[in-house]
Amino acid sequence: MSERTWNGPTLEVIGLGLAGEALSAEARQALDSAELVIGAPRHFEALEQQGLDVPRRAHFPSPFSALWSLLAEHSGQRIVLLASGDPLFYGLGGHLRKHLTAEQLRLYPAVSSIQAAFARIGQPWQEAEVVSLHGRPLSSLRAALKVNRWFATLTDAHSHPAAIADELVAGGFGDSTVWVAENLGTHEERVSAHTASLLSESTEVFSPLNVVIFRTQGAGGVLPEFPGITDAAFSTDGDEAGRGLLTKREVRLCVLSLLEPRAGDIGWDIGAGCGGVAVEWARWNPYGQVHALEYHAERLTHLATNRDRFGVIKNLHIHEGRAPEHIAKLPSPTVVFVGGGGRDLAAILEACWARLPSGGRLIASAVTEDARMALHGFSQIEPAQDDEWIQLAVSRGDRLAGQRLMRPHLPVLLFKRIKP
C-alpha cells in the first residue's frame, strides 16, 4: 500500500461526545466488530468510563503522519479510529477525506465541544464564526475579527484565553465578553465569563481542554472590515506612512475588482512589493491561496510584517526570487496579477500567460512608458476583442499655503485578459 492510501475494509471513525455520553447502537456495533481500534489515551479512558473494554488497541503515533504506516501494517483488517466530537469538524475525518474517498469511510459523529459550549451559555450558534487556533498562529485570528459578531475558538497552549483577550484588546474590542468553557462533560467542568480587557491582564490558569467563545464589542476600527485598507495602515519602505512601493488604495480596489477573487483560486502577485494587493486579496478571499513573489530584501520584510499584521498567514505565501526565473517554482495559478517587472515585464507576461489554464485571468499594471509599451506589445501577440483597459488618474486632497488643492498621482494603466 502506498503512503496515504487505503485498500482495506471501510475505515470507521467514531466521534466520542462529552463524558458519559453513550455511543449509538451503530457505533457500538462497529466498535465490537473491530479488529483494531486506534485512538488517543483519553479516548480509551472515555470508553472505559462507559464500561467498554477495547483489547485490540493502538495509540495514534507521533508524528501523526505515521498513522498511514500503522494502517498499512493492518491492511485487510476492520479498523476503527476514535476522535472527539464530530470527526468532520476540524477533526480526524477532514484529514482522512483529503486522501480517501467518502466510500472508504464511515463516520459516527457526536456533539462537538463548540456545540456543547454554546449550549452551556444558552446562545444560538448558527451565525457564529468558528476559528481553529489549534496548531495555528494566534495572529491568524486577526483575519476574522469583525464588530458585533459571535466567535468560537478552538485553542492550544499558545492561544490560551488571556492571549485571545490580548488580540481582542489590540483590535479595539476590549469591551467584549469572553466565555471560557473548561473540561466540558467532566466533573471538573467550569464555564466562566470575563471582560476581554480584564482577562488580558489576568494570570488565571485555565485547563488546557478549553473552548473560548466571545462576542466582539467595542469601538473596533483597528482591523479592516471592508476592501480598501488605508495606505497608512501598511508597513512600507517609504519615508512616510503609506508611501513606498505599495499599490495605492484607489488602484488596489480596481485591481481587486478585476481579479474577481473566487474560492479555490490559486493566485500569483508578481512583484508584490510591500504587499498591498497580496494582503487585501488574501484577506477578502479566505478560501483562495495567494502566492506573492518579491526579490527586494527590505520589501520582503514589510510584506511579511503586513501578512502578520492583517492575519492572512493561512493563505498568503511569500516567495523570495525574481521573475521570470522563479515563476517555474510557483504552483500553477488560476489568476495572476503582475504589478512589477521593470525591464523584464514582457518576458514575465509571456511566462505567466503560458502557465495559466483555459479560463485563467491575467491582470497587469503599468506606470512607466516602458511598462505601457510592454503591455501593449503583449496584447498584440494574440489580439482579443474582450481585453479590458482602464487608466486611473487619481488626485488626493492636500494643503498648500493654508489652502486646499488636489494633488495628482501618476496615472496607472490596468490591463486584463482571460485565456480562451
Side-chain angles (χ1 to χ4, degrees):
M1 184 178 77
S2 62
E3 185 181 10
R4 307 199 178 201
T5 61
W6 175 248
N7 300 317
T10 300
L11 289 173
E12 305 200 75
V13 185
I14 298 176
L16 303 180
L18 303 183
E21 183 178 334
L23 296 180
S24 67
E26 293 82 2
R28 177 69 181 269
Q29 182 178 357
L31 188 67
D32 290 341
S33 61
E35 296 174 273
L36 177 69
V37 179
I38 303 174
R42 68 179 185 277
H43 295 145
F44 292 114
E45 291 173 9
L47 292 177
E48 289 167 1
Q49 290 174 7
Q50 297 185 42
L52 300 176
D53 183 33
V54 184
R56 303 170 298 278
R57 66 174 67 180
H59 288 159
F60 284 120
S62 180
F64 187 76
S65 58
L67 171 65
W68 297 93
S69 297
L70 178 59
L71 292 174
E73 293 173 11
H74 297 274
S75 61
Q77 294 185 338
R78 295 190 300 275
I79 296 179
V80 163
L81 297 103
L82 302 177
S84 299
D86 184 348
L88 289 173
F89 188 70
Y90 291 104
L92 175 63
H95 171 76
L96 294 173
R97 276 293 284 122
K98 291 178 181 178
H99 309 286
L100 306 179
T101 67
E103 291 73 23
Q104 292 176 296
L105 297 169
R106 186 170 183 188
L107 298 109
Y108 306 86
V111 172
S112 72
S113 59
I114 296 293
Q115 289 174 280
F118 272 100
R120 296 295 192 267
I121 67 173
Q123 288 290 342
W125 68 292
Q126 67 267 16
E127 295 182 359
E129 182 168 351
V130 179
V131 180
S132 177
L133 299 174
H134 190 81
R136 297 171 172 85
L138 176 62
S139 57
S140 62
L141 179 62
R142 300 171 196 170
L145 292 179
K146 297 177 179 64
V147 176
N148 296 325
R149 291 284 303 276
W150 283 94
F151 292 89
T153 55
L154 300 167
T155 63
D156 63 15
H158 302 289
S159 56
H160 53 83
I164 292 173
D166 280 340
E167 288 291 328
L168 290 174
V169 171
F173 302 119
D175 296 336
S176 302
T177 300
V178 181
W179 289 268
V180 183
E182 307 170 70
N183 299 315
L184 288 168
T186 72
H187 295 299
E188 291 79 34
E189 178 180 306
R190 183 171 75 110
V191 180
S192 54
H194 313 261
T195 301
S197 58
L198 297 178
L199 180 59
S200 68
E201 300 174 354
S202 172
T203 58
E204 184 174 355
V205 177
F206 297 92
S207 166
L209 295 177
N210 70 73
V211 171
V212 175
I213 295 173
F214 57 88
R215 183 187 178 194
T216 48
Q217 295 173 300
V222 176
L223 295 166
E225 298 195 26
F226 194 80
I229 302 173
T230 180
D231 297 342
F234 288 93
S235 173
T236 66
D237 58 345
D239 53 359
E240 295 180 26
R243 296 186 179 274
L245 198 66
L246 180 82
T247 302
K248 301 305 184 282
R249 177 168 57 180
E250 297 84 357
V251 177
R252 206 182 319 131
L253 280 167
C254 193
V255 169
L256 287 170
S257 72
L258 293 173
L259 289 170
E260 299 181 72
R262 304 166 189 174
D265 266 344
I266 299 176
W268 292 356
D269 183 353
I270 305 299
C274 297
V277 169
V279 165
E280 288 229 45
W281 189 358
R283 186 172 177 88
W284 309 124
N285 187 23
Y287 299 108
Q289 301 295 319
V290 178
H291 296 264
L293 180 63
E294 177 58 51
Y295 75 91
H296 191 281
E298 184 180 1
R299 292 167 195 156
L300 281 164
T301 299
H302 292 290
L303 176 57
T305 297
N306 290 321
R307 180 180 64 174
D308 186 69
R309 178 175 294 179
F310 295 103
V312 289
I313 298 167
K314 182 175 68 173
N315 65 329
L316 175 53
H317 313 279
I318 297 174
H319 303 266
E320 181 177 1
R322 285 182 176 271
E325 296 83 6
H326 198 89
I327 282 176
K329 301 178 182 178
L330 299 179
S332 296
T334 56
V335 54
V336 174
F337 172 61
V338 181
R343 297 184 181 91
D344 297 323
L345 181 55
I348 292 171
L349 291 169
E350 291 184 23
C352 292
W353 186 251
R355 291 288 304 276
L356 277 171
S358 176
R361 293 103 68 198
L362 173 67
I363 295 89
S365 66
V367 175
T368 68
E369 293 305 311
D370 289 348
R372 288 166 177 261
M373 289 176 61
L375 271 186
H376 285 292
F378 173 77
S379 72
Q380 294 304 309
I381 296 175
E382 299 177 24
Q385 294 291 330
D386 53 356
D387 287 347
E388 290 189 58
W389 294 90
I390 300 173
Q391 179 161 289
L392 299 178
V394 176
S395 296
R396 289 184 177 180
D398 202 350
R399 307 290 293 189
L400 179 65
Q403 299 186 58
R404 180 177 293 109
L405 58 78
M406 298 304 294
R407 192 177 298 279
H409 287 237
L410 291 171
V412 179
L413 181 64
L414 298 176
F415 166 78
K416 177 177 181 177
R417 173 173 284 183
I418 298 175
K419 196 164 187 177

